Amino acid sequence: MIKTLVLTLVLSIPSAAFAAGSDSSNDSPPAKTKTSKKCKDGKVWHKETKSCLDAKSDLLTDHIRYDAVRELAYAGRYAQAQTVLAAMSDQKDTRVLTYYGFTNRKAGNIELGMSYYKEALAADPNNLLARSYMGQGLVESGDKIGAKMQLAEIRKRGGEGRWPEVSLARAIESGVGYSY
């Protein structure tokens, strides 16, 4: 009973509170920075130089790039997020693969996006975010059974009550995945 009440309460939180790339430690939308306000063509704001830098710049760390990818994806600027993803040092990192999946799926390249999720999950079956985004893609394509299988895997792997589980449960319930 309490578990149901808690899940109902969590599901009633406005969907804007959840963002692409979130996990249990970061379930709020990314703050808008000059990367999304000022920089164009996949460039990333660099605080120290106070300028927009090419995503491949040695002055940028992968952590800065990842934050930029998350911000750009949240803003719906998927091609620019992919430009930054391409500059990441480890193209097989599961966060990178998950974001390639997300940005491709949201840009309409659903099969390609799903292939990235599968690659991320092959490397790390406990990647709950990839499971959630894959499940949302399955919901959007009408495969609620496949989405429910991903939801069960998320719960089995300790994700109950966390953003990946909550967002996928909401997508299954509403029939609509998230647009961010």
Side-chain angles (χ1 to χ4, degrees):
M1 170 88 174
I2 292 175
K3 189 185 269 187
T4 304
L5 182 61
V6 169
L7 185 57
T8 301
L9 179 62
V10 169
L11 292 176
S12 67
I13 296 171
S15 61
F18 302 111
S22 296
D23 61 23
S24 63
S25 65
N26 191 6
D27 62 3
S28 60
K32 283 188 174 186
T33 70
K34 291 187 180 178
T35 292
S36 63
K37 292 180 185 176
K38 184 175 180 177
C39 300
K40 305 289 183 213
D41 303 321
K43 293 190 176 181
V44 177
W45 182 257
H46 187 252
K47 289 179 185 177
E48 287 76 27
T49 62
K50 296 182 173 121
S51 63
C52 296
L53 299 179
D54 186 283
K56 294 178 184 176
S57 171
D58 290 337
L59 295 175
L60 299 173
T61 64
D62 277 352
H63 179 76
I64 293 170
R65 289 183 189 102
Y66 182 76
D67 286 347
V69 167
R70 186 170 179 261
E71 179 180 351
L72 292 167
Y74 182 80
R77 293 165 55 184
Y78 307 122
Q80 291 179 35
Q82 288 174 353
T83 297
V84 179
L85 279 170
M88 299 289 271
S89 63
D90 182 0
Q91 292 294 299
K92 296 298 179 184
D93 179 277
T94 60
R95 290 191 318 170
V96 172
L97 295 170
T98 300
Y99 260 102
Y100 272 126
F102 180 84
T103 56
N104 275 288
R105 178 174 64 88
K106 298 312 288 181
N109 302 314
I110 296 170
E111 287 182 33
L112 182 58
M114 296 303 254
S115 71
Y116 278 112
Y117 296 142
K118 289 175 185 174
E119 190 175 350
L121 291 170
D124 178 9
N126 292 317
N127 183 333
L128 303 183
L129 188 60
R131 288 192 180 283
S132 181
Y133 286 155
M134 175 183 268
Q136 290 179 49
L138 292 168
V139 166
E140 291 167 350
S141 66
D143 183 2
K144 281 195 175 184
I145 293 171
K148 287 178 181 180
M149 289 173 61
Q150 290 303 320
L151 183 61
E153 282 294 322
I154 289 169
R155 290 174 174 159
K156 181 173 112 177
R157 295 170 186 279
E160 193 164 341
R162 293 173 57 194
W163 187 85
E165 186 240 4
V166 171
S167 62
L168 180 52
R170 291 177 87 185
I172 291 168
E173 183 179 299
S174 70
V176 180
Y178 286 80
S179 62
Y180 53 86

Short mmCIF file of all heavy atoms in Angstrom, two decimals, residues 10-50:
data_model
loop_
_atom_site.label_atom_id
_atom_site.label_comp_id
_atom_site.label_asym_id
_atom_site.label_seq_id
_atom_site.Cartn_x
_atom_site.Cartn_y
_atom_site.Cartn_z
N VAL A 10 5.05 10.08 -6.77
CA VAL A 10 6.17 10.37 -7.68
C VAL A 10 5.66 10.57 -9.10
O VAL A 10 6.12 11.46 -9.81
CB VAL A 10 7.23 9.25 -7.61
CG1 VAL A 10 8.25 9.40 -8.71
CG2 VAL A 10 7.91 9.25 -6.25
N LEU A 11 4.68 9.77 -9.51
CA LEU A 11 4.16 9.90 -10.87
C LEU A 11 3.37 11.18 -11.07
O LEU A 11 3.16 11.61 -12.20
CB LEU A 11 3.29 8.69 -11.22
CG LEU A 11 4.01 7.37 -11.35
CD1 LEU A 11 3.02 6.24 -11.61
CD2 LEU A 11 5.06 7.41 -12.45
N SER A 12 2.95 11.81 -9.99
CA SER A 12 2.19 13.05 -10.14
C SER A 12 3.06 14.29 -10.25
O SER A 12 2.58 15.37 -10.50
CB SER A 12 1.22 13.20 -8.96
OG SER A 12 1.94 13.41 -7.76
N ILE A 13 4.38 14.14 -10.08
CA ILE A 13 5.30 15.26 -10.21
C ILE A 13 5.30 15.72 -11.66
O ILE A 13 5.33 14.91 -12.56
CB ILE A 13 6.73 14.85 -9.78
CG1 ILE A 13 6.73 14.48 -8.30
CG2 ILE A 13 7.73 15.96 -10.06
CD1 ILE A 13 8.03 13.85 -7.84
N PRO A 14 5.31 17.01 -11.93
CA PRO A 14 5.32 17.49 -13.31
C PRO A 14 6.48 16.92 -14.09
O PRO A 14 7.60 16.83 -13.60
CB PRO A 14 5.44 19.01 -13.18
CG PRO A 14 4.95 19.31 -11.80
CD PRO A 14 5.28 18.10 -10.98
N SER A 15 6.22 16.53 -15.32
CA SER A 15 7.25 15.88 -16.14
C SER A 15 8.43 16.79 -16.43
O SER A 15 9.52 16.30 -16.72
CB SER A 15 6.64 15.37 -17.45
OG SER A 15 6.12 16.45 -18.18
N ALA A 16 8.28 18.09 -16.34
CA ALA A 16 9.40 18.98 -16.61
C ALA A 16 10.51 18.83 -15.57
O ALA A 16 11.61 19.30 -15.78
CB ALA A 16 8.94 20.44 -16.65
N ALA A 17 10.21 18.15 -14.48
CA ALA A 17 11.23 17.98 -13.45
C ALA A 17 12.25 16.93 -13.84
O ALA A 17 13.24 16.75 -13.16
CB ALA A 17 10.57 17.59 -12.12
N PHE A 18 12.01 16.21 -14.92
CA PHE A 18 12.91 15.15 -15.34
C PHE A 18 13.60 15.54 -16.63
O PHE A 18 13.00 16.12 -17.52
CB PHE A 18 12.12 13.85 -15.56
CG PHE A 18 11.40 13.43 -14.32
CD1 PHE A 18 10.03 13.48 -14.27
CD2 PHE A 18 12.09 13.01 -13.20
CE1 PHE A 18 9.36 13.09 -13.12
CE2 PHE A 18 11.43 12.62 -12.05
CZ PHE A 18 10.06 12.66 -12.01
N ALA A 19 14.86 15.20 -16.74
CA ALA A 19 15.62 15.63 -17.91
C ALA A 19 16.40 14.49 -18.53
O ALA A 19 16.77 13.54 -17.87
CB ALA A 19 16.60 16.72 -17.50
N ALA A 20 16.65 14.63 -19.79
CA ALA A 20 17.49 13.67 -20.50
C ALA A 20 18.84 13.58 -19.79
O ALA A 20 19.45 14.57 -19.47
CB ALA A 20 17.69 14.13 -21.94
N GLY A 21 19.27 12.39 -19.58
CA GLY A 21 20.55 12.19 -18.96
C GLY A 21 20.51 12.13 -17.45
O GLY A 21 21.53 11.93 -16.81
N SER A 22 19.34 12.29 -16.90
CA SER A 22 19.24 12.24 -15.46
C SER A 22 19.44 10.83 -14.95
O SER A 22 19.15 9.87 -15.61
CB SER A 22 17.86 12.72 -15.01
OG SER A 22 17.67 14.04 -15.34
N ASP A 23 19.91 10.73 -13.74
CA ASP A 23 19.92 9.48 -13.03
C ASP A 23 19.44 9.79 -11.63
O ASP A 23 18.91 10.86 -11.37
CB ASP A 23 21.30 8.81 -13.06
CG ASP A 23 22.38 9.65 -12.43
OD1 ASP A 23 22.07 10.53 -11.60
OD2 ASP A 23 23.55 9.43 -12.77
N SER A 24 19.61 8.87 -10.70
CA SER A 24 19.08 9.10 -9.36
C SER A 24 19.73 10.28 -8.66
O SER A 24 19.17 10.85 -7.74
CB SER A 24 19.25 7.84 -8.52
OG SER A 24 20.62 7.55 -8.37
N SER A 25 20.91 10.67 -9.08
CA SER A 25 21.59 11.77 -8.41
C SER A 25 21.30 13.12 -9.06
O SER A 25 21.71 14.14 -8.55
CB SER A 25 23.10 11.52 -8.41
OG SER A 25 23.59 11.55 -9.74
N ASN A 26 20.61 13.12 -10.19
CA ASN A 26 20.40 14.37 -10.90
C ASN A 26 19.09 14.30 -11.66
O ASN A 26 19.08 14.04 -12.85
CB ASN A 26 21.58 14.64 -11.84
CG ASN A 26 21.54 16.04 -12.40
OD1 ASN A 26 20.72 16.84 -12.01
ND2 ASN A 26 22.43 16.31 -13.32
N ASP A 27 17.98 14.53 -10.97
CA ASP A 27 16.69 14.36 -11.61
C ASP A 27 15.99 15.68 -11.94
O ASP A 27 14.79 15.74 -12.03
CB ASP A 27 15.79 13.46 -10.78
CG ASP A 27 15.48 14.03 -9.40
OD1 ASP A 27 15.94 15.15 -9.10
OD2 ASP A 27 14.80 13.35 -8.64
N SER A 28 16.77 16.73 -12.11
CA SER A 28 16.19 18.01 -12.52
C SER A 28 16.78 18.42 -13.86
O SER A 28 17.85 17.97 -14.25
CB SER A 28 16.47 19.08 -11.46
OG SER A 28 17.85 19.24 -11.31
N PRO A 29 16.05 19.26 -14.58
CA PRO A 29 16.55 19.69 -15.89
C PRO A 29 17.90 20.39 -15.77
O PRO A 29 18.17 21.02 -14.74
CB PRO A 29 15.48 20.69 -16.37
CG PRO A 29 14.27 20.36 -15.58
CD PRO A 29 14.76 19.84 -14.26
N PRO A 30 18.73 20.29 -16.79
CA PRO A 30 20.01 20.99 -16.74
C PRO A 30 19.77 22.50 -16.80
O PRO A 30 18.84 22.97 -17.44
CB PRO A 30 20.74 20.51 -18.00
CG PRO A 30 19.65 20.07 -18.93
CD PRO A 30 18.54 19.56 -18.06
N ALA A 31 20.60 23.21 -16.10
CA ALA A 31 20.51 24.67 -16.13
C ALA A 31 20.94 25.17 -17.50
O ALA A 31 21.86 24.62 -18.10
CB ALA A 31 21.41 25.27 -15.05
N LYS A 32 20.25 26.20 -17.98
CA LYS A 32 20.67 26.81 -19.24
C LYS A 32 21.95 27.60 -18.99
O LYS A 32 22.02 28.39 -18.06
CB LYS A 32 19.59 27.73 -19.79
CG LYS A 32 18.46 27.00 -20.44
CD LYS A 32 17.54 27.98 -21.14
CE LYS A 32 16.50 27.22 -21.93
NZ LYS A 32 15.67 28.11 -22.74
N THR A 33 22.92 27.34 -19.83
CA THR A 33 24.17 28.09 -19.76
C THR A 33 24.37 28.77 -21.11
O THR A 33 23.54 28.67 -22.00
CB THR A 33 25.37 27.16 -19.47
OG1 THR A 33 25.60 26.35 -20.63
CG2 THR A 33 25.13 26.29 -18.24
N LYS A 34 25.51 29.41 -21.25
CA LYS A 34 25.80 30.06 -22.52
C LYS A 34 26.00 29.04 -23.65
O LYS A 34 25.94 29.40 -24.82
CB LYS A 34 27.00 31.00 -22.38
CG LYS A 34 26.65 32.19 -21.52
CD LYS A 34 27.74 33.22 -21.47
CE LYS A 34 27.29 34.39 -20.59
NZ LYS A 34 28.31 35.41 -20.47
N THR A 35 26.19 27.75 -23.29
CA THR A 35 26.28 26.73 -24.34
C THR A 35 25.00 26.72 -25.15
O THR A 35 25.04 26.70 -26.38
CB THR A 35 26.56 25.34 -23.74
OG1 THR A 35 27.88 25.33 -23.19
CG2 THR A 35 26.45 24.24 -24.78
N SER A 36 23.85 26.74 -24.48
CA SER A 36 22.58 26.73 -25.22
C SER A 36 22.05 28.12 -25.52
O SER A 36 21.23 28.28 -26.43
CB SER A 36 21.52 25.92 -24.46
OG SER A 36 21.24 26.50 -23.22
N LYS A 37 22.52 29.13 -24.81
CA LYS A 37 22.04 30.49 -25.04
C LYS A 37 22.83 31.22 -26.12
O LYS A 37 22.27 32.04 -26.85
CB LYS A 37 22.12 31.31 -23.75
CG LYS A 37 21.17 30.87 -22.67
CD LYS A 37 21.37 31.76 -21.45
CE LYS A 37 20.57 31.34 -20.28
NZ LYS A 37 20.85 32.15 -19.09
N LYS A 38 24.13 30.96 -26.22
CA LYS A 38 24.99 31.76 -27.07
C LYS A 38 25.72 30.96 -28.15
O LYS A 38 25.90 31.42 -29.27
CB LYS A 38 26.02 32.49 -26.20
CG LYS A 38 26.91 33.44 -26.94
CD LYS A 38 27.80 34.22 -25.99
CE LYS A 38 28.69 35.15 -26.80
NZ LYS A 38 29.53 35.98 -25.95
N CYS A 39 26.18 29.76 -27.79
CA CYS A 39 27.02 28.97 -28.71
C CYS A 39 26.18 28.32 -29.82
O CYS A 39 25.05 27.90 -29.59
CB CYS A 39 27.79 27.90 -27.95
SG CYS A 39 28.89 28.57 -26.68
N LYS A 40 26.76 28.24 -30.99
CA LYS A 40 26.09 27.65 -32.16
C LYS A 40 26.94 26.49 -32.68
O LYS A 40 28.10 26.33 -32.33
CB LYS A 40 25.93 28.70 -33.27
CG LYS A 40 25.21 29.95 -32.85
CD LYS A 40 23.74 29.71 -32.62
CE LYS A 40 23.03 31.01 -32.26
NZ LYS A 40 21.95 30.81 -31.37
N ASP A 41 26.34 25.72 -33.57
CA ASP A 41 27.05 24.67 -34.32
C ASP A 41 27.78 23.66 -33.43
O ASP A 41 28.87 23.21 -33.76
CB ASP A 41 28.04 25.29 -35.31
CG ASP A 41 27.35 26.24 -36.27
OD1 ASP A 41 26.22 25.93 -36.71
OD2 ASP A 41 27.92 27.30 -36.57
N GLY A 42 27.19 23.31 -32.30
CA GLY A 42 27.80 22.30 -31.45
C GLY A 42 28.99 22.78 -30.66
O GLY A 42 29.76 21.98 -30.13
N LYS A 43 29.16 24.08 -30.56
CA LYS A 43 30.26 24.62 -29.74
C LYS A 43 29.82 24.64 -28.29
O LYS A 43 28.63 24.60 -27.97
CB LYS A 43 30.67 25.99 -30.23
CG LYS A 43 31.31 25.91 -31.61
CD LYS A 43 31.94 27.18 -32.03
CE LYS A 43 32.61 26.92 -33.38
NZ LYS A 43 33.29 28.08 -33.89
N VAL A 44 30.81 24.70 -27.40
CA VAL A 44 30.57 24.60 -25.97
C VAL A 44 31.16 25.82 -25.27
O VAL A 44 32.29 26.21 -25.56
CB VAL A 44 31.22 23.31 -25.41
CG1 VAL A 44 31.04 23.20 -23.90
CG2 VAL A 44 30.65 22.07 -26.11
N TRP A 45 30.40 26.39 -24.35
CA TRP A 45 30.87 27.54 -23.60
C TRP A 45 31.97 27.11 -22.63
O TRP A 45 31.85 26.12 -21.93
CB TRP A 45 29.72 28.19 -22.82
CG TRP A 45 30.17 29.41 -22.07
CD1 TRP A 45 30.41 29.51 -20.74
CD2 TRP A 45 30.45 30.69 -22.64
NE1 TRP A 45 30.81 30.80 -20.44
CE2 TRP A 45 30.85 31.53 -21.58
CE3 TRP A 45 30.40 31.21 -23.93
CZ2 TRP A 45 31.19 32.87 -21.77
CZ3 TRP A 45 30.74 32.54 -24.13
CH2 TRP A 45 31.13 33.36 -23.05
N HIS A 46 33.05 27.88 -22.63
CA HIS A 46 34.17 27.63 -21.73
C HIS A 46 34.28 28.82 -20.79
O HIS A 46 34.55 29.94 -21.24
CB HIS A 46 35.46 27.43 -22.54
CG HIS A 46 36.62 27.01 -21.72
ND1 HIS A 46 37.67 27.84 -21.44
CD2 HIS A 46 36.89 25.82 -21.12
CE1 HIS A 46 38.55 27.19 -20.70
NE2 HIS A 46 38.10 25.96 -20.48
N LYS A 47 34.05 28.57 -19.49
CA LYS A 47 34.00 29.66 -18.51
C LYS A 47 35.32 30.43 -18.41
O LYS A 47 35.31 31.65 -18.31
CB LYS A 47 33.65 29.10 -17.13
CG LYS A 47 32.23 28.64 -17.01
CD LYS A 47 31.97 28.06 -15.63
CE LYS A 47 30.58 27.48 -15.56
NZ LYS A 47 30.32 26.86 -14.25
N GLU A 48 36.42 29.70 -18.45
CA GLU A 48 37.71 30.37 -18.25
C GLU A 48 38.06 31.33 -19.39
O GLU A 48 38.58 32.41 -19.17
CB GLU A 48 38.83 29.34 -18.05
CG GLU A 48 38.80 28.66 -16.68
CD GLU A 48 37.71 27.59 -16.57
OE1 GLU A 48 37.31 27.01 -17.61
OE2 GLU A 48 37.24 27.35 -15.45
N THR A 49 37.80 30.91 -20.62
CA THR A 49 38.12 31.78 -21.76
C THR A 49 36.96 32.69 -22.13
O THR A 49 37.09 33.55 -23.00
CB THR A 49 38.52 30.94 -22.99
OG1 THR A 49 37.40 30.13 -23.37
CG2 THR A 49 39.75 30.09 -22.72
N LYS A 50 35.81 32.45 -21.49
CA LYS A 50 34.60 33.22 -21.77
C LYS A 50 34.28 33.26 -23.26
O LYS A 50 34.01 34.31 -23.84
CB LYS A 50 34.71 34.63 -21.20
CG LYS A 50 34.81 34.63 -19.69
CD LYS A 50 34.87 36.05 -19.16
CE LYS A 50 34.80 35.95 -17.66
NZ LYS A 50 35.83 36.48 -16.91
#
